[in-house]
């Protein structure tokens, strides 16, 4: 059963257990209420679903396939299948959310789209959806990230988006979200903010989850069709956590299925060296929701590090915090070095260059943390072309 | 009713307008002597920011001030110590964001505010639906939790804010974050008028009050103004005398 009914989470106050909520400035509350009401109505609306499903099929290329990773399986001693979100248009799962939200914005009569982006994949996806649906788009991106991910800046501009480098603070994803929230506070009457992950004030974690759950709904059905059973382990990388929630939702509570999220362990376990909010953080509020957070004793949010810009975020979606505390999913971390090793391993064995984000999952598997023969389904959330420079530089220019 | 509300009601009931300057604790030039000088310049209450790493309701000036304060090593307790050391006769309202409050724990946070002599608390990312626990704990310590009211809200939302707010209602003048604007937004009047019949709390306008003239315009319909970025900008730029002269000009404009 893949089921299409919405999970009972969050509750009416936007809570996943104790997590989530709406820690938002007063000026945004009416828009958040409007968005919540619209989504609760539209997510089951036949004409909206039809429009979104047609675009998913004809424009994004859904369903994305699952691939039996035979040579990787042989090398690791597991039976590994990959859910190929890297084959979705624009090269990552981000398009599922961006397209749904821009379509929703048009239904709401909004005239302008804004987004934040870290690695640039969400920015490219939102610029793409805005181009397709004919809405102007502004993308906030930390100045540091505009340098790390210059090709994606060029892509967004070609797609007609305005890219605004953010020079505040750490000049990375966290600051880009702050700046997008500030823009939205000023422009909320005419503008929709397409948040890129399962983070933010209610209803965003629910909305983005609902739009990404297609990953797991497809994958579970495909896997059962091909193998006749469910996988024993479902694994995905977790930064904000949208591909992981998208993958996990179809499996939460399924008997015999373990859900494992892999966070970015960076270069060490001290604050500032990693982005492992679930494994090393403590509850706190960032960007409108209560979740696990990397923070100091005064509640200041600390700087983070990951080789992968898409995981370089000190918070995490509140539903992951709930799944962790409830024992419904478990979370581990993989280092920068693991990610690089995973990148090379998948390229060599399967002919796939993964994005550095899901390369963390492959790198974690390469440590053989599971019993021999385990049946594993991995969400390959994006492709690695964007990361070639980073990979080559990290390896001293030799590949 | 705490000291903050008592004082601002007295100003309003005496037919005067309230002038509430904001400064970011730990930012360049912000110390106990500055707080005393602001009181001498005619402040009816002073809003002191406890700097946060992610000030999403603040524009560039206060973002910079917050960053400079944190880079200089400012801790929450340092700001409270500054307030205590100032020994002010006028009430102080602390302003910060949700996470510094929750991280310390709501009870301990308000106890520490009370111990430092702080009379009010403003947390812009704790709207009424998320601030119930804080309001309860603060009330026990005699601390007024100020709520914000913004443009575009439905009348029932204004009613809830009017019912739960203490001290004063912070009427957000315009869509957007703190920082200078060329003119007083039209929305400021609508927010104040939307609340006027719902509460007899003082209604103060803040966000974008950049000049004494704008403050005077706002006081044609509001009970006072909060002035932040306009004062913080010269302070961070090293012009303490200029900031204090500007505070006096604001005071004079709404006397």
């Amino acid at each position: 059963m893949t089921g299409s009914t919405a999970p009972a989470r969050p509750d009416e106050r936007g809570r996943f257990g104790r997590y989530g909520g709406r820690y938002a400035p007063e000026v945004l509350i009416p828009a958040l209420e409007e968005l919540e009401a619209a989504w609760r109505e539209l997510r089951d609306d036949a004409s909206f679903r039809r429009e979104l499903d047609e675009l998913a099929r004809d424009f994004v290329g859904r369903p994305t396939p699952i691939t039996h990773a035979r040579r990787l399986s042989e090398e690791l001693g597991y039976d590994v299948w990959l859910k190929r979100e890297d084959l979705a248009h624009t090269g990552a799962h981000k398009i599922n959310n961006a397209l749904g939200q821009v379509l929703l914005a048009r239904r709401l009569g909004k005239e302008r789209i804004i987004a934040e982006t870290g690695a640039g994949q969400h920015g490219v996806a939102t610029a793409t959806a805005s181009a397709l649906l004919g809405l102007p788009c502004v993308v906030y991106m930390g100045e540091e990230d505009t340098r790390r991910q210059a090709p994606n800046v060029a892509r967004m501009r070609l797609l007609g988006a305005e890219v605004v480098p953010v020079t505040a603070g750490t000049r990375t994803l966290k600051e880009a979200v702050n700046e997008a929230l500030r823009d939205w506070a000023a422009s909320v009457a005419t503008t929709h903010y397409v948040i890129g992950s399962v983070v933010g004030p209610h209803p965003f974690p629910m909305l983005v989850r609902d739009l990404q759950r297609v990953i797991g709904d497809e994958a579970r059905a495909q896997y059962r069709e091909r193998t006749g059973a469910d996988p024993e382990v479902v694994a995905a990388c977790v930064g904000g956590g949208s591909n992981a929630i998208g993958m996990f939702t179809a499996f939460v509570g399924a008997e015999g299925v373990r859900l494992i999220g892999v966070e970015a362990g960076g270069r060490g376990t001290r604050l500032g060296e990693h982005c492992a909010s679930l494994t090393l953080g403590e509850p706190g509020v960032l960007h409108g929701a209560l979740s696990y957070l990397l923070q100091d004793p005064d509640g200041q949010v600390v700087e983070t590090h990951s080789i992968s810009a898409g995981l370089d975020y000190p918070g995490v979606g509140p539903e992951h915090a709930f799944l962790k505390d409830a024992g419904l999913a478990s979370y581990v971390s993989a280092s920068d070095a693991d990610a690089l090793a995973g990148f090379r391993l998948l390229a060599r064995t399967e002919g796939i260059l993964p994005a550095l984000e899901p390369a963390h999952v492959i790198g974690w598997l390469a440590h053989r943390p599971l019993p021999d023969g385990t049946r594993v389904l991995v969400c390959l959330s994006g492709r690695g072309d964007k990361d070639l420079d980073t990979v080559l530089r990290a390896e001293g220019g030799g590949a | 009713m705490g000291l903050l509300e008592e004082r601002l009601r007295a100003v309003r009931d005496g037919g005067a307008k309230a002038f509430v300057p904001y400064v970011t604790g730990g930012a360049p030039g912000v110390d106990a002597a500055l707080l005393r000088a602001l009181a001498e310049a005619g402040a009816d209450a002073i809003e002191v920011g406890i700097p946060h790493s992610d000030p999403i309701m603040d524009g560039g000036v206060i973002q910079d001030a917050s960053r400079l304060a944190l880079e200089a090593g400012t801790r929450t307790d340092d700001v409270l110590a500054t307030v205590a050391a100032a020994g002010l006769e006028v009430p102080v309202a602390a302003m910060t964001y949700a996470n510094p409050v929750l991280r310390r724990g709501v009870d301990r946070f308000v106890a520490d505010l009370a111990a430092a002599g702080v009379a009010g608390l403003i947390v812009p990312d704790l709207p009424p639906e998320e601030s119930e626990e804080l309001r309860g704990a603060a009330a026990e310590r005699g601390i007024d939790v100020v709520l914000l009211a913004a443009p575009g809200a439905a009348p029932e939302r204004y009613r809830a804010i009017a019912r739960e707010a203490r001290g004063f209602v912070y009427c957000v003048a315009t869509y957007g974050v703190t920082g200078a604007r060329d003119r007083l937004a039209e929305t400021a009047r609508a927010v104040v008028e939307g609340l006027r019949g719902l509460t007899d709390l003082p209604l103060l306008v803040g966000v974008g009050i950049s000049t004494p003239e704008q403050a005077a315009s706002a006081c044609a319909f509001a009970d006072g103004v909060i002035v932040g970025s306009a004062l913080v900008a010269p302070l961070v730029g090293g012009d303490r005398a200029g900031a204090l002269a500007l505070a006096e000009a604001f005071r004079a404009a709404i006397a």
Side-chain angles (χ1 to χ4, degrees):
Chain A
M1 286 299 295
T2 57
S4 61
T5 51
R9 295 182 303 273
D11 67 17
E12 285 183 357
R13 302 184 62 197
R15 295 279 172 173
F16 302 87
R18 64 180 286 217
Y19 299 105
R22 187 174 277 164
Y23 297 87
E26 192 59 34
V27 70
L28 294 180
I29 301 283
L32 294 167
E33 287 177 343
E34 175 193 45
L35 187 61
E36 180 188 353
W39 182 242
R40 286 191 190 280
E41 192 184 321
L42 281 179
R43 69 178 170 186
D44 299 318
D45 177 271
S47 78
F48 182 81
R49 290 285 0 156
R50 197 178 322 113
E51 199 175 357
L52 186 54
D53 290 348
E54 279 177 17
L55 285 173
R57 184 192 64 208
D58 300 341
F59 184 70
V60 178
R62 301 209 74 87
T64 58
I66 59 169
T67 298
H68 193 189
R70 289 191 178 84
R71 295 194 60 230
L72 178 70
S73 296
E74 222 166 86
E75 187 137 340
L76 297 180
Y78 303 142
D79 185 54
V80 183
W81 290 71
L82 307 170
K83 175 61 173 167
R84 300 292 306 278
E85 292 300 293
D86 60 316
L87 295 179
H89 181 45
T90 70
H93 71 292
K94 296 292 186 184
I95 191 73
N96 303 328
N97 170 49
L99 203 52
Q101 283 205 52
V102 176
L103 211 52
L104 173 61
R106 209 172 59 174
R107 291 277 183 128
L108 287 168
K110 302 291 182 183
E111 299 156 9
R112 174 176 174 263
I113 296 296
I114 59 172
E116 87 294 339
T117 198
Q121 293 304 101
H122 174 60
V124 167
T126 307
T128 297
S130 300
L132 177 72
L133 298 170
L135 287 169
C137 175
V138 175
V139 180
Y140 291 95
M141 187 170 188
E143 194 187 40
E144 172 68 20
D145 290 336
T146 62
R147 270 197 296 273
R148 288 198 278 192
Q149 309 282 341
N152 272 341
V153 175
R155 282 188 189 101
M156 288 184 270
R157 290 186 170 141
L158 285 167
L159 291 160
E162 180 190 347
V163 179
V164 180
V166 178
T167 57
T170 53
R171 303 174 183 217
T172 56
L173 177 57
K174 170 173 84 85
E175 309 298 337
V177 176
N178 288 343
E179 208 52 34
L181 284 168
R182 292 182 188 114
D183 177 314
W184 204 34
S187 63
V188 64
T190 58
T191 297
H192 177 67
Y193 174 23
V194 180
I195 207 161
S197 191
V198 284
V199 301
H202 180 57
F204 281 116
M206 171 180 81
L207 167 60
V208 178
R209 188 255 339 257
D210 291 349
L211 290 167
Q212 291 293 4
R213 67 169 296 169
V214 64
I215 302 171
D217 286 341
E218 286 178 5
R220 191 174 188 191
Q222 290 166 323
Y223 189 92
R224 289 180 149 216
E225 191 194 324
R226 300 288 292 277
T227 72
D230 273 334
E232 294 166 292
V233 167
V234 175
C237 62
V238 179
S242 70
N243 90 87
I245 282 290
M247 188 72 167
F248 290 175
T249 297
F251 294 97
V252 172
E255 202 169 327
V257 182
R258 283 175 63 201
L259 306 179
I260 298 178
V262 183
E263 297 193 293
R267 54 184 169 224
T269 54
R270 284 178 304 188
L271 272 183
E273 294 181 334
H274 59 84
C275 313
S277 347
L278 287 158
T279 42
L280 296 169
E282 291 176 76
V285 170
L286 175 67
H287 298 145
L290 178 68
S291 186
Y292 280 84
L293 180 61
L294 296 169
Q295 53 185 319
D296 76 6
D298 271 355
Q300 311 297 352
V301 182
V302 300
E303 294 192 23
T304 51
H305 164 79
S306 171
I307 193 168
S308 137
L311 302 181
D312 199 349
Y313 183 68
V316 65
E319 192 164 6
H320 284 294
F322 168 78
L323 293 175
K324 173 189 159 82
D325 284 11
L328 291 167
S330 54
Y331 296 87
V332 298
S333 70
S335 69
D336 288 353
D338 293 336
L340 288 165
F343 185 97
R344 294 175 67 93
L345 178 60
L346 197 68
R348 182 168 57 76
T349 56
E350 296 296 335
I352 297 169
L353 298 181
L356 277 172
E357 290 81 8
H360 283 74
V361 183
I362 307 298
W364 171 73
L365 282 175
H367 286 293
R368 309 199 69 259
L370 304 168
D372 275 355
T374 304
R375 289 177 284 113
V376 185
L377 176 59
V378 172
C379 185
L380 193 66
S381 57
R383 70 179 186 217
D385 312 54
K386 70 182 176 59
D387 294 319
L388 280 184
D389 275 359
T390 306
V391 170
L392 297 183
R393 223 177 310 125
E395 300 188 342
Chain B
M1 183 186 318
L3 179 66
L4 178 66
E5 183 168 330
E6 206 173 287
R7 184 62 58 94
L8 294 176
R9 280 179 180 274
V11 169
R12 195 257 325 265
D13 296 345
K17 300 296 180 180
F19 168 52
V20 180
Y22 161 94
V23 289
T24 305
V30 179
D31 52 23
L34 178 85
L35 299 184
R36 284 193 289 268
L38 286 169
E40 279 159 29
D44 296 296
I46 300 175
E47 184 185 343
V48 178
I50 295 170
H52 183 46
S53 53
D54 294 84
I56 56 170
M57 257 307 284
D58 286 305
V61 169
I62 295 174
Q63 283 177 49
D64 283 346
S66 303
R67 179 179 53 81
L68 290 168
L70 292 173
E71 283 174 3
T74 304
R75 306 285 308 266
T76 297
D77 288 333
D78 298 329
V79 179
L80 299 183
T82 300
V83 172
L88 299 173
E89 193 268 329
V90 297
V92 168
M95 181 275 178
T96 192
Y97 287 85
N99 202 46
V101 178
L102 300 180
R103 175 70 167 166
R104 183 164 293 214
V106 163
D107 285 329
R108 219 191 107 202
F109 194 91
V110 294
D112 291 347
L113 290 185
V118 172
L121 178 58
I122 305 169
V123 189
D125 55 347
L126 284 180
E129 51 269 59
E130 301 293 359
S131 60
E132 198 176 334
E133 186 191 356
L134 175 66
R135 285 183 277 114
E140 284 179 23
R141 303 273 178 181
I143 290 174
D144 292 325
V145 174
V146 173
L147 296 179
L148 291 85
E156 26 325 345
R157 191 150 185 96
Y158 282 157
R159 247 191 300 281
I161 291 163
R163 188 172 60 239
E164 305 299 345
R166 299 291 179 271
F168 64 94
V169 180
Y170 191 129
C171 300
V172 178
T174 183
Y175 290 99
V177 296
T178 62
R181 304 287 196 281
D182 292 339
R183 68 184 66 180
L184 179 67
E186 299 289 326
T187 41
R189 180 190 291 271
V191 176
V192 172
E193 286 175 355
L195 283 153
R196 192 58 93 181
L198 304 175
T199 175
D200 71 340
L201 280 172
L203 304 176
L204 273 58
V205 171
V207 177
I209 304 289
S210 321
T211 65
E213 294 71 32
Q214 291 172 4
S217 306
C219 285
F221 50 84
D223 300 321
V225 290
I226 301 135
V227 181
S229 298
L231 299 173
V232 172
L235 278 173
V236 168
D239 184 9
R240 181 185 175 109
L244 288 170
L246 188 57
E248 285 171 10
F250 272 102
R251 172 74 276 176
I254 62 168

